[in-house]
Amino acid sequence: MAVSSFSFSSATLSKRLNLPLKPSCSICSGPPIIASSKDAFVEEERSGNCKRRSLLIGVGASSLLPTKLLLAQEKPPNYDEFIDSEDGYSYYYPSDWIEFDFRGHDSAFKDRYLQLQNVRLSFIPTAKTDIHDMGPIEKVVANLVRHVYSTPTQVPDVFDMQERTTDGKSYYTFEYTLTSPNFSRAAFATISVGNGRYYTLIVGANERRWRRVRNQLKVVADSFKVLDI
């Protein structure tokens, strides 16, 4: 599997768009994840209800491998893999999570006890052939976080943006939070284009738990792949 990647942040763009972009830190650096409740509903409106076709591959329990190793190794311990060969994608999820119906999404898994800790994937038709056709990563991420994922009462913050190419397919991954007066959510989102579809994977949790689960969820975000159909 051929993989190349790089990450960056831009204070210039965040100032121009009035969108906070916070620097990475030892706790917050790494791959991206989920969003607020609105991002789900916006994506629901853009996505049709799709039937899930799953191939679940179990794994044994062990210590969590560093996220960076995921790009060069097979599925790490403590994760299962969801493969949808008909709709053309796959990703890992924690092996103790359960599948559930998330309206407007093609597949979704959640923690057994913490339902807001989840991953979901949706896609919509597109004439684009590569994620770069959507625009530069800074512009695309700023538009999504500010105008699609957040509501007028939420304050969006972008912590990191990363670009990677795996097996000839390009991906944008970014980490962000959406803060409202009574609730905040942190997430990673990975987006890609292929098979005439614009894919969006979002994995996240309550911001209060972010420090504890961030690395685990980053593995999910980095594992997303578009498969040829």
Side-chain angles (χ1 to χ4, degrees), residues 19-95:
L19 178 66
L21 179 63
K22 296 186 177 180
S24 300
C25 62
S26 59
I27 294 175
C28 301
S29 61
I33 291 185
I34 190 169
S36 77
S37 58
K38 185 197 172 191
D39 70 319
F41 294 118
V42 172
E43 287 182 317
E44 289 164 13
E45 293 174 359
R46 296 187 176 186
S47 307
N49 289 322
C50 304
K51 293 182 179 179
R52 287 187 218 115
R53 291 154 293 276
S54 61
L55 172 61
L56 306 182
I57 303 175
V59 292
S62 179
S63 58
L64 180 64
L65 294 177
T67 301
K68 291 183 179 179
L69 296 182
L70 181 63
L71 298 177
Q73 297 186 7
E74 297 300 320
K75 178 174 72 270
N78 294 327
Y79 290 86
D80 288 344
E81 185 172 19
F82 181 89
I83 302 175
D84 189 332
S85 57
E86 186 170 345
D87 287 319
Y89 68 87
S90 68
Y91 60 85
Y92 301 158
Y93 64 94
S95 56

Side-chain angles (χ1 to χ4, degrees), residues 136-152:
I137 187 172
E138 290 186 333
K139 181 178 179 180
V140 172
V141 170
N143 178 70
L144 287 174
V145 175
R146 188 177 184 186
H147 300 295
V148 179
Y149 297 165
S150 63
T151 66

Side-chain angles (χ1 to χ4, degrees), residues 209-227:
R209 289 185 50 80
W210 195 241
R211 293 187 179 187
R212 283 178 283 179
V213 303
R214 182 190 179 281
N215 289 342
Q216 178 191 43
L217 301 186
K218 178 66 161 103
V219 171
V220 178
D222 283 345
S223 71
F224 172 56
K225 291 191 300 183
V226 174
L227 310 176

Side-chain angles (χ1 to χ4, degrees), residues 26 32 36 48 119 123 129 135 137 144 164 167 177 203 206 210 215:
S26 59
S36 77
V119 58
F123 56 82
T129 59
I137 187 172
L144 287 174
R164 66 178 164 94
D167 295 335
T177 60
V203 55
N206 188 311
W210 195 241
N215 289 342

